[in-house]
Amino acid sequence: MNYDELLIYLDIDSPEELTYFEMMADLIESEEDIEQEAIYRLVRGADKAEVSGLLDEYFEEITNALPDDSDEMFSLLDRIRLLLTGLIDNAEDDSDFRRFTHEFNRFRTWYSYDSQVEVLPDDEGCEPADCLCVRDAITTARVDRINDDSHRYNYEDALNYEIDSYTMSFVELLAAEDDE
């Protein structure tokens, strides 16, 4: 999907209109391949604070949907959130926005395609029901809550996401803690 197709997909005319949670969710969870340049142009033209806020909201939503025994996945997703929001909050020039775009796209690919979560029926004797990406495993956990169903989730193979070495300053870390 190129830039013009991305704007149509998000139902916006310009990047400044990237203001709703659903738009961020659509951008992250899209089944279609989105050109990295299209994402770059979108975030470069959008309000940085708005993008950061939407990312925070999205990550809060998905981490709240995790099953209670998913501490390691929760921690990993929180570190990814801090990385992405830190990169966009501190983006000042073209290379900063490109780095954010690269990391955002790397997250999207892992989250919706490359990650593997083993989802097992709650009945101990059954074979694994499915091997899903993190996005789909979280969706399954949401459905479990609605239908009063239950599965067990093995995130071991999905925890291999490497966080690039982005260092937040001490002031940024304190500000992030104050926000929580």
Side-chain angles (χ1 to χ4, degrees):
M1 175 181 322
N2 66 29
Y3 177 71
D4 293 329
E5 293 166 332
L6 179 58
L7 293 180
I8 292 168
Y9 173 71
L10 295 174
D11 197 23
I12 58 177
D13 295 321
S14 69
E16 295 87 13
E17 296 176 42
L18 182 66
T19 57
Y20 295 106
F21 171 85
E22 293 79 12
M23 293 173 181
M24 182 59 69
D26 287 346
L27 183 61
I28 292 172
E29 298 174 3
S30 175
E31 290 286 332
E32 293 188 46
D33 185 38
I34 303 172
E35 294 174 2
Q36 192 160 314
E37 186 65 21
I39 295 171
Y40 164 78
R41 288 180 60 191
L42 178 70
V43 297
R44 183 72 163 132
D47 179 81
K48 291 186 328 181
E50 194 70 50
V51 172
S52 181
L54 292 172
L55 283 168
D56 265 337
E57 189 178 351
Y58 183 80
F59 276 91
E60 183 174 335
E61 178 73 22
I62 64 172
T63 54
N64 285 340
L66 288 170
D68 292 337
D69 62 349
S70 305
D71 295 340
E72 289 181 277
M73 181 54 66
F74 179 90
S75 178
L76 175 61
L77 288 170
D78 192 53
R79 289 191 327 257
I80 295 169
R81 177 189 63 83
L82 287 172
L83 169 70
L84 292 175
T85 57
L87 286 171
I88 195 65
D89 287 343
N90 295 294
E92 294 179 7
D93 60 23
D94 188 61
S95 66
D96 294 339
F97 281 99
R98 290 205 180 274
R99 176 143 187 243
F100 167 80
T101 302
H102 170 75
E103 290 301 323
F104 180 82
N105 204 42
R106 198 167 72 87
F107 164 70
R108 283 185 66 248
T109 302
W110 169 81
Y111 181 69
S112 296
Y113 302 106
D114 294 346
S115 57
Q116 295 292 308
V117 177
E118 191 177 30
V119 179
L120 304 110
D122 207 21
D123 181 358
E124 296 282 338
C126 292
E127 290 295 315
D130 230 336
C131 201
L132 305 172
C133 64
V134 172
R135 176 196 66 199
D136 294 346
I138 289 173
T139 300
T140 301
R142 284 183 178 127
V143 171
D144 280 354
R145 285 190 179 133
I146 293 169
N147 294 336
D148 201 26
D149 223 355
S150 65
H151 288 87
R152 290 176 290 126
Y153 299 85
N154 179 354
Y155 292 101
E156 186 176 329
D157 292 337
L159 296 172
N160 61 355
Y161 187 91
E162 289 188 34
I163 306 248
D164 282 354
S165 59
Y166 169 74
T167 306
M168 295 176 71
S169 72
F170 184 68
V171 173
E172 290 169 331
L173 287 172
L174 287 176
E177 283 184 14
D178 288 343
D179 289 345
E180 291 176 7

